[in-house]
Amino acid sequence: MSQHALTPRVGPRARRAVQALSAVLALGLLAWLLQGVDVHALADTARRMPAATWALALAGVAATYVLRAARLQAEWQGRTGARFVDCLALFAWHNAAVSLLPLRAGEAGYAWWLHRHWQVPLAQSLPSLLWLRLQDAAVLGTLVLALLASPGLALSAVAAMAGLAAVLLRRGWHGTLHDGDDVHGAARSPWPRRLLQGLYGGRGGWRSWAFCTANWAIKLGVSALLLQAAGLRPAALGWCGAAGAEAGAALPLQAPAGLGVFEAGVLAGVHACTATPVEAGAVVGAALLVHALWLLASVGAALAVLVARRGLAAPLRAPS
């Protein structure tokens, strides 16, 4: 089946109208949220934040890129011989497209990159993209619910998964479970075997789960750190705000650059964790700082890929 056959037949005028409507709604939401934000006070807050805080946040951002690239390499290296730098470029490009384009139109960048650089057909790239999003939803949903229910327990769990991912990265992410493994003898009938193969094999195995969990743990931690540094206290509220932001960012209907949705998610996450009245303007202002960091990181990484694109080589073998 051709790519055109899989593409919904939506006219360019309809697409532009939907994108324009989403942009208008996003700007309206953002304008409403910014009513109580003191821009000058927000700028002063950003300047007063310690350099060590910004450095730690940037290190966390870099760690999430490394973990996402490792997650992609765990899936594609065995099929295409993909190098780590190739997977890093793929994630940077895909992440920027999803972050900046409305209505999650940037998701198409994943299939485009795989086809152009690795000659992967849509029959393989689309299931891969679906699996990435299902895995993200499972991990992020679990972390968000855990944070909202018991922040202390959730932090212990995410710290353990981040440590496991660090060990795997240090060892070169050589997994021990493969597609045909019978995990602890549990797969003794057809449906458990298929379930275990879907969870552990074929797309990076248990390594992909560790990398995915560590990525989301660190990403939530970076956002929580900046929210707290910007005045959102106690620390648990920072984590709840970060969880709300990511839950909002996971929605299928997104405005360009996530305008308004990210900030509204932070505010909703904070309200979900406390019955004490909070100043909405201060929360939205802190969310703007965090949102700006992630957007600048995605744009900067994508530009770096464009500058270094000549050094990116295609995998050595065709996808199996």
Side-chain angles (χ1 to χ4, degrees), residues 180-311:
D181 286 348
D182 188 359
V183 183
H184 302 299
R188 298 185 183 280
S189 59
W191 72 264
R193 188 176 186 86
R194 289 196 298 270
L195 176 62
L196 288 172
Q197 287 177 346
L199 290 174
Y200 292 102
R203 299 197 182 278
W206 68 279
R207 295 171 294 157
S208 68
W209 286 98
F211 293 140
C212 183
T213 305
N215 163 74
W216 285 113
I218 294 174
K219 189 171 185 182
L220 289 170
V222 169
S223 296
L225 171 68
L226 292 178
L227 288 172
Q228 183 184 4
L232 191 57
R233 294 184 177 84
L237 287 186
W239 283 94
C240 291
E246 293 302 336
L251 294 175
L253 295 179
Q254 288 291 320
L259 293 172
V261 179
F262 187 96
E263 291 74 19
V266 172
L267 189 59
V270 170
H271 279 300
C273 285
T274 180
T276 304
V278 295
E279 186 182 349
V283 175
V284 173
L288 280 172
L289 289 179
V290 180
H291 196 179
L293 174 69
W294 288 113
L295 285 177
L296 289 173
S298 65
V299 172
L303 291 176
V305 169
L306 290 177
V307 171
R309 65 187 183 275
R310 292 184 179 180

Side-chain angles (χ1 to χ4, degrees), residues 21-310:
L21 178 61
S22 68
V24 169
L25 292 176
L27 291 174
L29 176 61
L30 188 62
W32 178 72
L33 290 170
L34 289 176
Q35 286 180 345
V37 176
D38 187 336
V39 178
H40 296 292
L42 181 61
D44 290 338
T45 298
R47 284 194 295 267
R48 288 197 306 268
M49 288 169 61
T53 298
W54 288 110
L56 184 58
L58 290 174
V61 172
T64 64
Y65 276 68
V66 169
L67 287 164
R68 292 301 273 188
R71 161 66 182 86
L72 291 171
Q73 190 180 27
E75 175 176 354
W76 290 106
Q77 186 179 38
R79 304 182 187 189
T80 65
R83 304 175 305 170
F84 179 78
V85 66
D86 299 315
C87 296
L88 188 60
L90 166 58
F91 171 69
W93 181 269
H94 182 212
N95 182 60
V98 172
S99 298
L100 298 177
L101 297 179
L103 303 176
R104 302 199 72 87
E107 296 287 14
Y110 184 76
W112 175 85
W113 177 281
L114 289 176
H115 179 73
R116 177 172 180 177
H117 292 269
W118 298 352
Q119 295 77 53
V120 176
L122 278 176
Q124 294 185 29
S125 61
L126 292 183
S128 172
L129 177 60
L130 177 61
W131 175 247
L132 279 174
R133 291 314 177 209
L134 288 175
Q135 189 176 56
D136 283 340
V139 171
L140 181 59
T142 300
L143 291 177
V144 168
L145 291 176
L147 283 170
L148 296 178
S150 177
L153 179 61
L155 294 183
S156 299
V158 297
M161 290 306 298
L164 174 59
V167 171
L168 290 173
L169 285 168
R170 184 175 180 181
R171 294 181 58 185
W173 51 78
H174 294 297
T176 57
L177 292 177
H178 302 285
D179 293 355
D181 286 348
D182 188 359
V183 183
H184 302 299
R188 298 185 183 280
S189 59
W191 72 264
R193 188 176 186 86
R194 289 196 298 270
L195 176 62
L196 288 172
Q197 287 177 346
L199 290 174
Y200 292 102
R203 299 197 182 278
W206 68 279
R207 295 171 294 157
S208 68
W209 286 98
F211 293 140
C212 183
T213 305
N215 163 74
W216 285 113
I218 294 174
K219 189 171 185 182
L220 289 170
V222 169
S223 296
L225 171 68
L226 292 178
L227 288 172
Q228 183 184 4
L232 191 57
R233 294 184 177 84
L237 287 186
W239 283 94
C240 291
E246 293 302 336
L251 294 175
L253 295 179
Q254 288 291 320
L259 293 172
V261 179
F262 187 96
E263 291 74 19
V266 172
L267 189 59
V270 170
H271 279 300
C273 285
T274 180
T276 304
V278 295
E279 186 182 349
V283 175
V284 173
L288 280 172
L289 289 179
V290 180
H291 196 179
L293 174 69
W294 288 113
L295 285 177
L296 289 173
S298 65
V299 172
L303 291 176
V305 169
L306 290 177
V307 171
R309 65 187 183 275
R310 292 184 179 180

